[in-house]
Amino acid sequence: LLLGTLRAPALGDPGPLEDVVIDRYYIPKICLREAQMGDFVRYHYNGTFKDGKKFDSSYNRGATVAGVVGVGRLITGMDRGLQGMCVNERRHLIVPPHLGYGSIGVAGLIPPDATLYFDVVMLDIWNKNDKLQVTTLSKPERCNRTVENSDFVRYHYNGTLLDGTPFDSSYSKGSTYDTYVGTGWLIKGMDQGLLGMCAGEKRSIIIPPFLAYGEKGYGTVIPPQASLVFSVLLVDFHNPKDGVFLEHLEVPEPCKRRAVTGDFVRYHYNGTLMDGTLFDSSYSRNQTYNTYIGKGYIIPGMDQGLQGVCVGEQRRVVIPPHLAYGENGAGDKIPGSAVLIFDVHVVDFHNPADPVEIDTVFRPEGCNVTTRHRDFVRYHYNCSLLDGTRLFSSHDYEKPQEVTLGTNKVIEGLNSGLLDMCVGERRVLIVPPHLGHGESGGRG
């Protein structure tokens, strides 16, 4: 390039020294840094003579100029004129002959003793000693874990050059950028800039060229020696080695029994992505989700996450994608490689092999006669679900309930629970569904 490759010729005594004239006709409101000697800069310019005739232009070549300021690689007038510039600043420079190409000029292009006029806009400034600049813009209050090397991340970003020119955006594609961190799949600056992030965190990451695309640039959108600015929102991350993470939000006391493989569980849930987006809820359907656990009827992470629950427990189950819907996701609400978070409230569970559970609250002394098959009995009762929801009560009627045992007039579990009782005895009966109203339930 003309200004990037020609050195100022050796001159004799030029007479009285005249300096370059600098007109800073546009100065940006925010100037994070000024160009200094030894800095790499990238800029556009138009070069003209006093009469306005153009002799050179980076715009006409369709490429910015990149070089080092103050080390003699540019004509002296340009070296001086670029120092102290901010990114996006515009200057008009008047370079006298002895600070340009002097009495020699450039054959066929610049006559001897020519005064040169430049309109310059600064696009980029960096130094080989620069480091990654990471600024946290916002961060969630809760952050149980941050990104580490080998994690798989899903994030949105806007990418611009240092002067604000956009070159890429995940938002315009309508999907997150999904990749591993620290395994060489990203440019070095992004690999470093994502470390330590929380899900939901927003960062600004400024990457110098030697940690980005360096001297080659990338395609037509990122010029050579360009600094990159990324505005990043971390949506989701996990590690392929992750298991299910459990958070016990509320565990009732006492807990007589905990669910195990083969149990049939009824529970309510809200299902969200890591960024809080709701993808499903049993509450919205006003119906519990009912299934066996440990038998592969539900995603592996939930099969594991429901093990050991108590009736009435509230539990958060965080499931990595390889234990959920994997790389393909599910439908249009669960993206590929998404971590799922279920807030679960366990309403009820039983095992198909469960008998009626009988807890004798009171049994009178001196009881010699107990109920048997075919006996006629009169009794009072209160009936509720396992979570305490009241269903029926004989006290709502004028008379106690009456039945002959063994005549299929009451559910099997209640019939067996009324056997071997004394007059005046009180019991709590827990009847599993298969000895109650089964899968169909009972009418009110």
Side-chain angles (χ1 to χ4, degrees):
L1 299 178
L2 179 64
L3 297 177
T5 57
L6 296 181
R7 293 174 179 269
L11 301 175
D13 183 6
L17 182 64
E18 298 178 57
D19 206 349
V20 62
V21 177
I22 301 173
D23 176 15
R24 304 179 70 186
Y25 66 89
Y26 175 74
I27 303 173
K29 293 182 180 179
I30 298 176
C31 181
L32 300 177
R33 174 177 185 171
E34 296 180 349
Q36 300 178 6
M37 289 182 62
D39 280 346
F40 288 79
V41 295
R42 204 166 50 76
Y43 58 95
H44 262 310
Y45 73 92
N46 283 316
T48 63
F49 298 117
K50 187 174 182 179
D51 62 1
K53 182 180 178 182
K54 187 182 296 185
F55 64 84
D56 195 16
S57 172
S58 61
Y59 295 99
N60 291 351
R61 293 192 297 273
T64 54
V65 179
V68 183
V69 175
V71 295
R73 296 180 182 175
L74 306 172
I75 59 173
T76 304
M78 185 62 79
D79 249 350
R80 295 182 184 180
L82 293 175
Q83 291 188 47
M85 285 191 78
C86 306
V87 171
N88 286 324
E89 182 177 342
R90 294 176 180 269
R91 289 184 177 185
H92 182 68
L93 309 178
I94 303 176
V95 180
H98 68 281
L99 298 179
Y101 295 98
S103 59
I104 299 176
V106 178
L109 186 62
I110 298 176
D113 297 318
T115 299
L116 307 179
Y117 297 77
F118 294 96
D119 279 300
V120 181
V121 56
M122 182 65 69
L123 302 177
D124 200 340
I125 305 169
W126 60 279
N127 194 286
K128 61 182 179 180
N129 296 320
D130 284 349
K131 296 181 180 179
L132 199 68
Q133 298 179 53
V134 178
T135 304
T136 298
L137 305 177
S138 65
K139 193 172 184 177
E141 293 182 3
R142 287 172 58 96
C143 182
N144 296 326
R145 175 180 162 191
T146 60
V147 173
E148 300 177 356
N149 282 323
S150 80
D151 281 345
F152 188 87
V153 295
R154 296 197 306 116
Y155 61 93
H156 271 302
Y157 70 90
N158 286 315
T160 66
L161 304 180
L162 204 58
D163 68 339
T165 302
F167 62 82
D168 196 15
S169 173
S170 64
Y171 295 97
S172 65
K173 302 181 181 73
S175 62
T176 54
Y177 190 82
D178 307 341
T179 188
Y180 288 95
V181 174
T183 57
W185 290 20
L186 293 165
I187 56 175
K188 291 181 180 179
M190 188 60 83
D191 254 346
Q192 297 174 22
L194 293 171
L195 293 175
M197 286 192 79
C198 304
E201 182 175 342
K202 293 182 179 180
R203 281 185 179 182
S204 171
I205 304 172
I206 302 177
I207 305 175
F210 54 86
L211 294 176
Y213 294 99
E215 297 179 0
K216 295 182 178 180
Y218 186 82
T220 59
V221 292
I222 299 178
Q225 302 290 28
S227 301
L228 306 182
V229 181
F230 287 94
S231 176
V232 175
L233 168 62
L234 184 63
V235 173
D236 189 342
F237 73 97
H238 74 281
N239 195 284
K241 297 179 181 178
D242 284 348
V244 173
F245 175 78
L246 301 179
E247 187 176 351
H248 303 278
L249 305 177
E250 184 178 334
V251 181
E253 291 292 343
C255 177
K256 294 182 179 179
R257 174 181 161 192
R258 297 179 180 273
V260 296
T261 294
D263 282 346
F264 189 86
V265 183
R266 296 195 308 117
Y267 60 95
H268 271 302
Y269 70 90
N270 284 318
T272 63
L273 304 179
M274 214 170 185
D275 65 353
T277 302
L278 183 72
F279 62 82
D280 194 16
S281 173
S282 63
Y283 296 99
S284 66
R285 295 186 293 274
N286 197 30
Q287 184 176 348
T288 56
Y289 191 83
N290 309 326
T291 187
Y292 289 95
I293 64 170
K295 291 190 169 186
Y297 291 173
I298 48 181
I299 57 174
M302 188 60 84
D303 252 348
Q304 296 178 25
L306 291 174
Q307 296 283 336
V309 293
C310 303
V311 172
E313 181 174 346
Q314 295 184 45
R315 177 181 285 195
R316 177 166 293 157
V317 185
V318 182
I319 304 175
H322 51 277
L323 295 175
Y325 295 99
E327 297 180 2
N328 296 325
D332 57 356
K333 292 188 176 181
I334 299 178
S337 300
V339 175
L340 306 184
I341 300 176
F342 289 92
D343 284 319
V344 175
H345 179 204
V346 178
V347 173
D348 188 349
F349 69 86
H350 75 281
N351 194 283
D354 284 348
V356 175
E357 184 179 333
I358 300 175
D359 180 14
T360 299
V361 177
F362 172 76
R363 189 178 179 99
E365 296 180 2
C367 173
N368 298 319
V369 180
T370 59
T371 56
R372 294 178 297 175
H373 189 60
R374 295 293 178 178
D375 280 351
F376 177 82
V377 297
R378 298 173 67 242
Y379 61 97
H380 270 300
Y381 70 93
N382 292 312
C383 179
S384 65
L385 300 178
L386 203 57
D387 65 353
T389 302
R390 184 179 182 276
L391 297 178
F392 316 108
S393 175
S394 62
H395 297 284
D396 294 337
Y397 305 97
E398 295 180 358
K399 297 180 179 180
Q401 185 79 14
E402 298 177 348
V403 70
T404 300
L405 298 177
T407 57
N408 297 321
K409 299 298 183 182
V410 293
I411 57 174
E412 184 179 347
L414 178 57
N415 190 91
S416 61
L418 289 170
L419 292 173
D420 196 33
M421 287 191 75
C422 302
V423 173
E425 184 174 341
R426 294 175 180 268
R427 287 181 176 180
V428 174
L429 308 178
I430 299 179
V431 181
H434 55 279
L435 299 177
H437 294 281
E439 296 181 5
S440 301
R443 293 180 298 173

